[in-house]
Amino acid sequence: MKSQKGQILYRVDRFAARVLRIVVVLFVVLLVLACFGIESRYAWYISGGLFALSVLCRIILSPFVKSEEEEEFEQQVEYILSRKSCEESKPSVTNTDYTPLRNLNHSQEGFVKQHLFRLPENPNKPGFINLALVSHYLTALEKMGNADLIDKHNLRLWVAQVTQKQVPSSSQFNEAIPSKANTKIANARRDIERLFQAK
């Protein structure tokens, strides 16, 4: 309910701002016409009334509605933050020689990468990895002696490259790996073992 009232007040305020701009243009036109001896007292009265009403309306609504300058500033801040977030979540440089995988033959490495690639994405953030799920599989590989997860920076870049999805910020990624969900790690380990046996 509050948001509906806020939207109505916002629309009224912006409408008053538009009327104010139109009235200012009208004043200029009336002044130009007055210079040529064309005057309309009623036009001045109507313009003056609209000007006064618009100014009064904006003054009354100013405590409840953001000004255009505040709104523009917030949009700029939001844009900067979204750009920063996008840069963080979409790594563009990776060490091509790096791999966290250990003690696996070429085929097994390929199977692991393919499996990570096929994992479902984050249901709440399309295009992003499901960090919890990826963490379970990486931790399972580490426990099997088939992965080294110490270099978190390169690991994050490697995950983005292998999954071809966006990854969360470094702090979120580092906090999630290794996983502490033992049951889910055990399930992931069984999946990996079945994968190796099947191939």
Side-chain angles (χ1 to χ4, degrees):
M1 192 73 180
K2 279 185 180 177
S3 63
Q4 283 180 345
K5 283 181 182 175
Q7 283 178 357
I8 291 165
L9 292 175
Y10 175 84
R11 285 177 190 152
V12 170
D13 180 75
R14 292 304 182 258
F15 180 74
R18 278 192 219 108
V19 170
L20 206 54
R21 287 190 203 102
I22 292 165
V23 170
V24 168
V25 172
L26 196 56
F27 277 148
V28 172
V29 171
L30 289 171
L31 282 169
V32 170
L33 290 173
C35 291
F36 292 101
I38 304 166
E39 281 195 56
S40 174
R41 192 180 299 172
Y42 296 111
W44 280 102
Y45 289 153
I46 291 166
S47 301
L50 285 172
F51 182 82
L53 276 172
S54 300
V55 170
L56 189 64
C57 181
R58 296 212 78 193
I59 289 168
I60 291 167
L61 293 177
S62 62
F64 310 104
V65 179
K66 289 175 189 171
S67 70
E68 287 156 339
E69 291 78 16
E70 286 174 321
E71 200 173 49
E72 193 179 332
F73 177 73
E74 281 184 5
Q75 284 172 352
Q76 287 173 349
V77 169
E78 208 171 287
Y79 173 75
I80 291 163
L81 291 174
S82 69
R83 284 289 299 272
K84 189 178 177 185
S85 170
C86 189
E87 283 168 12
E88 271 194 341
S89 63
K90 201 172 181 182
S92 56
V93 180
T94 184
N95 177 0
T96 51
D97 297 329
Y98 173 82
T99 177
L101 303 177
R102 301 286 183 269
N103 307 318
L104 295 174
N105 61 40
H106 186 71
S107 297
Q108 289 173 325
E109 279 196 23
F111 300 146
V112 168
K113 288 178 181 179
Q114 200 172 51
H115 193 68
L116 290 173
F117 173 77
R118 288 178 179 164
L119 288 176
E121 63 185 20
N122 188 323
N124 302 319
K125 291 176 81 176
F128 276 76
I129 62 165
N130 185 326
L131 183 56
L133 204 54
V134 170
S135 176
H136 300 152
Y137 280 93
L138 289 175
T139 307
L141 284 162
E142 184 184 48
K143 288 185 181 292
M144 292 167 70
N146 295 132
D148 178 358
L149 310 180
I150 291 171
D151 186 352
K152 299 282 180 68
H153 173 73
N154 277 316
L155 177 64
R156 178 173 172 267
L157 301 177
W158 181 84
V159 166
Q161 187 182 56
V162 166
T163 61
Q164 292 180 22
K165 296 181 183 77
Q166 293 187 57
V167 291
S169 64
S170 298
S171 57
Q172 285 178 286
F173 186 85
N174 295 350
E175 196 177 328
I177 295 172
S179 172
K180 294 168 183 67
N182 292 327
T183 306
K184 292 181 178 179
I185 293 166
N187 292 339
R189 181 171 184 159
R190 279 194 291 273
D191 281 350
I192 294 164
E193 287 169 348
R194 276 197 296 269
L195 181 73
F196 288 164
Q197 286 167 6
K199 305 296 182 182

